[in-house]
Amino acid sequence: MGVHLNKINEFIDSLDEEVTEALTVVSDVKTFKKGDYLLRDGETCKKSYFIQEGTARKFYINDGKEITTEIYFPDDLAISFSSYVGQHPGREFIQALTDIKVSVTDYIVFAALKTKYSVLTELDLLLTEHYALWLEERLFELHTLNATQRYELLLSRDPQIIKNIPLTYIASYLSISLETLSRIRAKR
Amino acid sequence: MGVHLNKINEFIDSLDEEVTEALTVVSDVKTFKKGDYLLRDGETCKKSYFIQEGTARKFYINDGKEITTEIYFPDDLAISFSSYVGQHPGREFIQALTDIKVSVTDYIVFAALKTKYSVLTELDLLLTEHYALWLEERLFELHTLNATQRYELLLSRDPQIIKNIPLTYIASYLSISLETLSRIRAKR
DNA sequence: GTGTTTATTTGACTTAGGTCAAATGCCTGT
DNA sequence: ACAGGCATTTGACCTAAGTCAAATAAACAC
């Protein structure tokens, strides 16, 4: 993961002035209040949100229960992937967990920019690869680690997560019930 | 899924003669015998394998047990994704389940071709998007469906899978123990 | 600050699916 | 056709984690 993120950063640093400038021009900085929805169930994800400040989450509802699938921190890119790449309505919500500041880029505008600067297709590829690697890793961890190990791993990667994020979201993100996670925590 | 696959096929059909020709030139048709390994644990995945005939699987070993993560049919592209994109040693095996015929393309050669024909970067992006969508779907199904539902879903998508693929691999692919899958089958 | 809502913990009980072991069925090579 | 080795089934038992319900604790609004 880390390796690939470095790749992405190096790649962005290597973009020439003109492309960087063009990207800045088409992106708007916006703010959302805690609890606000950036995207709802049934909508098409027409924008990407690059988180500058604050935290957010992505979730879907199954059987009346919210399943949190991703937790965003600064420098993360928040989109509902399937809705975004297919430009069709999706089942995911994106919600601010604190007041947040994001840089917003329109799908269509970015697509146009890719045809003008093909280096942006390479960037898109790197970002998509990064997401696929993240998904693979998540699948691997869910297969091979038990509830306690998944929680410990999350803590070791992101020690500050427990301070800021409500336990329900963390539990759901780890595919653990709230009660089980609470018991795991009681034992440390 | 289907939607995106159509996109990929349309895209490939729209490639111009020169690019298609160049792709053909750099790819070798090879055959493997049932049981042969196309890739092993600890090796770097330096080639992509486009399955033309037969079936194969990808797996890793955890705790001494084989976990099958993908089953390949004709027209599928077999790679160990993380090893391939990072060009570093990986933990996955790819193994022929029958005698197979594949079209083999070298990572480096394809990378070079992408710099020459940037339309191939777009193709790479589409393929990577497709893989990420597939991973998302898999994660979703593992979260929301129980063992029986996962098996029924697999059957409905791929009715011929039970005829050809040993049950152990199917069970592992569905994250079900062999015994539980056998009991599920006994009940229909 | 006080009451009200929301988050977290704790307890008692249930369950889907796993594990271990043995039996049976079914290929494959000679 | 038959022996030996895989593949699948069946049985008995176990366990990690889920569910439901009630008790605290923490956060928030007024």
Side-chain angles (χ1 to χ4, degrees):
Chain A
M1 291 252 121
V3 175
H4 212 75
L5 255 185
N6 285 348
K7 249 195 207 172
I8 292 173
N9 286 329
E10 280 169 29
F11 192 85
I12 290 175
D13 290 344
S14 78
L15 290 176
D16 66 58
E17 193 81 18
E18 188 187 346
V19 177
T20 316
E21 173 64 14
L23 267 182
T24 312
V25 168
V26 301
S27 302
D28 297 324
V29 173
K30 277 203 174 177
T31 60
F32 290 88
K33 292 252 170 248
K34 175 175 178 173
D36 282 356
Y37 287 92
L38 286 64
L39 179 74
R40 283 169 196 275
D41 188 4
E43 296 175 356
T44 295
C45 184
K46 295 183 174 167
K47 319 259 183 194
S48 65
Y49 302 92
F50 184 76
I51 313 283
Q52 293 189 344
E53 287 169 23
T55 57
R57 67 172 182 135
K58 185 177 74 186
F59 69 98
Y60 61 84
I61 295 182
N62 183 257
D63 241 354
K65 278 186 193 150
E66 297 182 357
I67 313 284
T68 295
T69 51
E70 202 166 350
I71 297 176
Y72 300 110
F73 293 99
D75 288 353
D76 285 338
L77 188 65
I79 57 171
S80 171
F81 186 77
S82 68
S83 173
Y84 185 83
V85 306
Q87 286 296 292
H88 51 58
R91 56 190 170 210
E92 294 178 311
F93 298 76
I94 299 175
Q95 183 186 33
L97 292 179
T98 60
D99 291 357
I100 59 174
K101 194 165 114 183
V102 294
S103 170
V104 185
T105 308
D106 191 87
Y107 174 89
I108 294 175
V109 173
F110 185 67
L113 222 53
K114 284 197 288 185
T115 69
K116 185 162 181 197
Y117 303 110
S118 73
V119 71
L120 289 179
T121 304
E122 292 173 47
L123 176 60
D124 202 352
L125 175 58
L126 281 181
L127 292 169
T128 306
E129 283 173 354
H130 181 253
Y131 184 57
L133 289 170
W134 181 84
L135 288 169
E136 269 199 344
E137 182 63 21
R138 208 165 140 67
L139 224 23
F140 176 74
E141 287 164 14
L142 288 171
H143 269 288
T144 59
L145 305 180
N146 65 26
T148 305
Q149 293 170 324
R150 296 204 295 278
Y151 178 66
E152 297 285 353
L153 182 61
L154 182 68
L155 274 197
S156 71
R157 280 185 186 148
D158 246 317
Q160 90 288 11
I161 203 170
I162 31 164
K163 295 202 191 70
N164 309 304
I165 312 288
L167 217 57
T168 328
Y169 302 152
I170 295 177
S172 152
Y173 175 70
L174 293 173
S175 289
I176 308 175
S177 73
L178 175 60
E179 295 92 330
T180 297
L181 181 56
S182 177
R183 281 183 248 266
I184 288 170
R185 282 154 55 83
K187 281 200 212 111
R188 319 182 75 227
Chain B
M1 290 252 122
V3 175
H4 212 75
L5 255 186
N6 286 348
K7 249 196 208 171
I8 292 172
N9 286 329
E10 281 169 26
F11 192 86
I12 289 175
D13 290 342
S14 78
L15 289 176
D16 65 58
E17 194 81 17
E18 188 187 346
V19 177
T20 316
E21 173 65 13
L23 267 181
T24 312
V25 168
V26 301
S27 301
D28 297 324
V29 172
K30 276 202 176 177
T31 60
F32 290 89
K33 292 253 168 248
K34 175 174 178 174
D36 282 356
Y37 288 92
L38 286 64
L39 180 74
R40 283 169 196 273
D41 187 4
E43 296 176 355
T44 295
C45 184
K46 296 184 174 165
K47 318 261 183 192
S48 65
Y49 302 92
F50 184 77
I51 313 285
Q52 293 190 343
E53 287 169 24
T55 57
R57 68 172 181 134
K58 185 178 73 186
F59 69 97
Y60 60 84
I61 294 181
N62 183 258
D63 241 354
K65 278 188 192 147
E66 297 183 356
I67 313 284
T68 295
T69 51
E70 203 165 349
I71 297 176
Y72 300 110
F73 293 99
D75 286 354
D76 284 338
L77 188 64
I79 57 171
S80 172
F81 186 77
S82 68
S83 174
Y84 185 82
V85 306
Q87 286 296 293
H88 50 58
R91 57 190 169 210
E92 293 177 314
F93 299 74
I94 298 176
Q95 184 186 32
L97 292 180
T98 60
D99 289 358
I100 59 175
K101 193 165 114 183
V102 294
S103 170
V104 185
T105 309
D106 191 87
Y107 174 88
I108 294 175
V109 172
F110 185 67
L113 223 52
K114 285 196 286 184
T115 68
K116 185 163 182 195
Y117 303 111
S118 73
V119 70
L120 289 180
T121 304
E122 293 172 46
L123 176 61
D124 201 354
L125 176 58
L126 281 181
L127 292 169
T128 306
E129 282 174 355
H130 180 254
Y131 184 58
L133 288 169
W134 180 84
L135 288 169
E136 270 201 343
E137 182 64 20
R138 206 163 142 68
L139 225 21
F140 176 74
E141 287 164 14
L142 288 172
H143 269 287
T144 60
L145 305 180
N146 65 28
T148 306
Q149 293 170 323
R150 296 203 296 278
Y151 178 66
E152 298 285 353
L153 182 61
L154 182 69
L155 274 197
S156 72
R157 281 187 184 146
D158 246 315
Q160 90 287 13
I161 203 171
I162 30 164
K163 295 202 192 71
N164 308 305
I165 312 286
L167 218 58
T168 329
Y169 303 152
I170 295 177
S172 153
Y173 176 70
L174 294 173
S175 287
I176 307 175
S177 75
L178 175 60
E179 295 93 330
T180 297
L181 181 56
S182 177
R183 281 183 249 267
I184 288 169
R185 283 154 55 82
K187 280 200 211 113
R188 320 180 75 226

